[in-house]
Structure formats: C-alpha cells, structure tokens
Amino acid sequence: MSDQPWLHRLDPAEAAEIDDALDVLLKSGKPNFAASPADFPLPALGPRLRGIVDSIENEPGFALVRGVPVGDKSEDEVRRLYWGLGMYIGVPMIQNNSDSSMVDIRDERRAGKLRVHKSNQHIGFHIDSTDVVTLLCRRAASQGGTSLVVSAEAVRREMSWECPELLSALYEPLPFADVASPDDERPDVFLSPVFGRHEGLTTTRFYIRRVLRSQDNPDAPRLTERQLEAINKVEEIAARPGLVTPMEFEPGDLQMINNHLVLHGRTAFASEEPGAGRHLLRMWFSVPSSRSLPPGYEAAWGTREGGTLRGAGPRWQLQGEFGEFQRRQAEELGVAIPA
C-alpha cells in the first residue's frame, strides 16, 4: 500500500475529460449559477471524485487530487473548471459577507482580524466553517506556503495521554468569534466544544485566532487560564513532525479536507509581485456523506444532522440566484436542506 493513501493522481484520459467538460460548459454560454453537472460532463471522473469525497469521511480525512489541467488556462477558465468539478463534490457555500462562493487565497498584502488568507502570513491549525473545504492550486509559491494537515483524533489522543486535565477543558463550550460577524471590532460569538465524541467518532471545532478574538466582545465568557493553556497545547501537538502531514502544492492540485476530522494550516510564503506567486482558489461544500455531530455543536453548525446543508454563515445561504443553484445541487446530490 502507498505511504500516501491520500494522494490520487489523474491519468491523461481523466485530465482530457476535464478539458472536454470545460469546453462543453464554455460553449453552453451558461453562467455558473445556471449550470448543472450535465453541462460539465465527467462520465468516468465524476464518480471517482464523488468516491473520494465519501472516503474522507473516514481517516485520514483528507485527499489530494493531482493533475487537474490548469497550466494552459486563463484565470477565468480555471475558475469555470473549478466550478465544474465542484458540482461533483457537494453543495457550494457562501464564505463571507461579500457573497463569495469561490475565494482567492493569495498575498494581497492585507490581513484581517479574523482572517489572514489575503496575506502571506503563517496560518495556525484550524478548521473552516464547513463540512468540506477544497483548495485548487493555480500557482505554487516560489518559497514556503506548505500546506499542513493533522488528524484531530491524533491530537486528542496525544492530549489524553499527556495532559488529560487540559483535554477535559476542550470538551466544555468555548467562545468563538463568528466568521459571519458583521462587526469586525466586536464580533458575534457562539459557544462550541473543541472536541466531541458521537457514535464512536471524534468531531472537532478549533481555531485559536477565533477563540482569542471572541474576547473582543465584552459579552463573551472570559477564557480561563486552563482553557488558554489547553488551546495552546492543541497548536503545539498538532505541529509535531510525527503527526503532521506537510504538502507542497503543485499547479493542478485539488486538496479536499473534512473539517470534522482534520486540522489544517500553512507556513508563511514568499511575497511576490501582483500577478505572480502563490494563488489558490477555495470553495466550501456541504456533502451528502457528512456525519451527525455531538451535542453542543448546534450553535456552531446550525444543525447536528448529517448530510444537510449546514455551517458557514446561515444567513448567507439560500439567497437569490445562488440560493436556487444550491437547492438544485442539493436535490441532485441528496443533501437535505433544514426546515
């Protein structure tokens, strides 16, 4: 067995199938929100992609699809291609207050208080606010920008051996600054455990930046010294060489991460002139294979029920033309929409 079971290489026929599908989509003249999988036909690769998505519901909880043909395409063509692939992954989710369903991850020399993906800074271990996050690499960094992934269960297990008194603090509700906060200075806050167990499975919700930023809201519960020590311990253990898996992105890499099983981050990378350097595209998805969640996760996800449209910012979803696309895509894939 390969020592990289998470790596899935496309063969030339599969890459050609993507090229042909993109040609069909572009010739259709349909915008993304009007398209369906039939407008991006992947008769062989489509079932394989769906199988990979299903597989990350179990350990290791992530996958890297290598060989997506992006090198000979314009930025707009790569975006359309990514959208087409996404129709085989899940129901896309709005990711921010700008109604973006596809977000650029590149150095724009700016970092917010809650998000720093528009910079070249190091990003600590965290989850995104969605069942599955995907990243498509259009250009790799000349130096740095290593993707880091680690099993949340492995981190939890290490803590159970080394510092059970700190681990117990992470089963208690902690305050998190909400990614959908309209006020960056005083973010909305919800409570969620970092770790939970349900039906024999570990679920995680972790982002140290958002836990600390919750304290900018005076109505948020104050973090205790024990809680602060516990979240810092998660960061320290997650970075250990024996646990973390580093990935060096290549153009055409499509990374998929199950946020309930896996923490991810990145190293800092070289800043380059606009139009050059590291450029990834990110999409968030609800997927039909997503797990049910432990008690205590309702505020973070909107619902504990698996296989539903959940996470991200609930008030961002199911609005307007994009919302109609979400509903059609949910019906296509069998993702339930909560009442």
Side-chain angles (χ1 to χ4, degrees):
M1 180 179 292
S2 168
D3 61 353
Q4 296 179 322
W6 43 266
L7 181 59
H8 305 264
R9 297 182 185 274
L10 300 186
D11 62 33
E14 290 169 323
E17 191 172 80
I18 294 174
D19 281 333
D20 291 343
L22 177 61
D23 189 54
V24 171
L25 179 61
L26 295 177
K27 287 181 177 177
S28 76
K30 292 183 179 180
N32 288 344
F33 296 171
S36 72
D39 300 305
F40 197 89
L42 297 175
L45 181 58
R48 184 183 180 194
L49 285 175
R50 286 179 174 160
I52 293 171
V53 174
D54 290 345
S55 76
I56 65 172
E57 184 54 34
N58 300 298
E59 294 286 356
F62 62 90
L64 188 74
V65 177
R66 176 156 285 168
V68 177
V70 302
D72 60 342
K73 295 176 177 62
S74 68
E75 182 172 328
D76 183 65
E77 288 172 335
V78 172
R79 292 179 188 278
R80 300 304 303 277
L81 180 158
Y82 190 18
W83 187 265
L85 294 176
M87 289 190 287
Y88 293 87
I89 294 172
V91 181
M93 306 292 282
I94 295 293
Q95 302 179 45
N96 53 37
N97 285 312
S98 300
D99 295 333
S100 301
S101 55
M102 188 181 297
V103 169
D104 293 283
I105 309 296
R106 56 185 166 193
D107 183 17
E108 298 178 4
R109 275 73 166 180
R110 57 192 176 98
K113 292 185 177 181
L114 277 175
R115 290 173 152 178
V116 297
H117 61 272
K118 297 293 188 181
S119 75
N120 65 339
Q121 295 178 16
H122 160 80
I123 298 179
F125 290 97
H126 64 285
I127 72 149
D128 284 15
S129 303
T130 188
D131 291 309
V132 170
V133 57
T134 67
L135 292 168
L136 177 63
C137 179
R138 180 169 170 256
R139 288 193 305 259
S142 61
Q143 182 178 358
T146 302
S147 176
L148 306 171
V149 295
V150 64
S151 163
E153 169 59 16
V155 173
R156 188 199 68 83
R157 189 167 57 245
E158 290 288 317
M159 291 189 73
S160 72
W161 298 330
E162 292 183 22
C163 48
E165 72 288 355
L166 294 182
L167 177 60
S168 64
L170 301 178
Y171 285 99
E172 303 164 1
L174 266 67
F176 285 76
D178 193 340
V179 67
S181 300
D183 184 349
D184 194 45
E185 299 301 320
R186 179 175 170 158
D188 293 336
V189 171
F190 62 82
L191 299 180
S192 176
V194 169
F195 291 119
R197 294 279 290 174
H198 184 59
E199 298 177 347
L201 301 173
T202 292
T203 290
T204 189
R205 181 87 186 196
F206 183 74
Y207 203 151
I208 195 169
R209 176 183 290 270
R210 296 201 179 130
V211 175
L212 297 177
R213 284 280 289 125
S214 74
Q215 303 301 278
D216 289 345
N217 186 326
D219 296 330
R222 299 298 94 181
L223 293 166
T224 67
E225 289 299 319
R226 175 167 160 263
Q227 289 171 332
L228 288 168
E229 187 177 354
I231 60 176
N232 280 297
K233 192 66 174 178
V234 171
E235 281 277 345
E236 183 266 308
I237 290 176
R240 291 180 181 174
L243 296 183
V244 69
T245 298
M247 294 185 187
E248 302 295 344
F249 282 143
E250 300 176 4
D253 282 352
L254 175 64
Q255 184 188 62
M256 305 180 189
I257 292 175
N258 184 325
N259 283 299
H260 303 296
L261 285 77
V262 173
L263 306 176
H264 65 280
R266 76 168 187 220
T267 65
F269 60 92
S271 182
E272 301 184 38
E273 292 302 312
R278 190 179 193 263
H279 183 203
L280 312 179
L281 297 170
R282 183 181 72 199
M283 292 184 72
W284 285 359
F285 293 98
S286 286
V287 298
S289 54
S290 67
R291 65 186 53 195
S292 58
L293 303 176
Y297 283 79
E298 296 87 349
W301 290 96
T303 177
R304 293 173 49 214
E305 186 177 352
T308 61
L309 191 141
R310 66 185 182 190
R315 66 181 176 81
W316 295 335
Q317 313 307 324
L318 301 171
Q319 303 296 318
E321 186 180 14
F322 180 74
E324 290 306 310
F325 174 82
Q326 288 179 302
R327 292 181 187 279
R328 293 194 304 272
Q329 185 69 0
E331 183 176 1
E332 171 81 20
L333 296 177
V335 173
I337 295 179

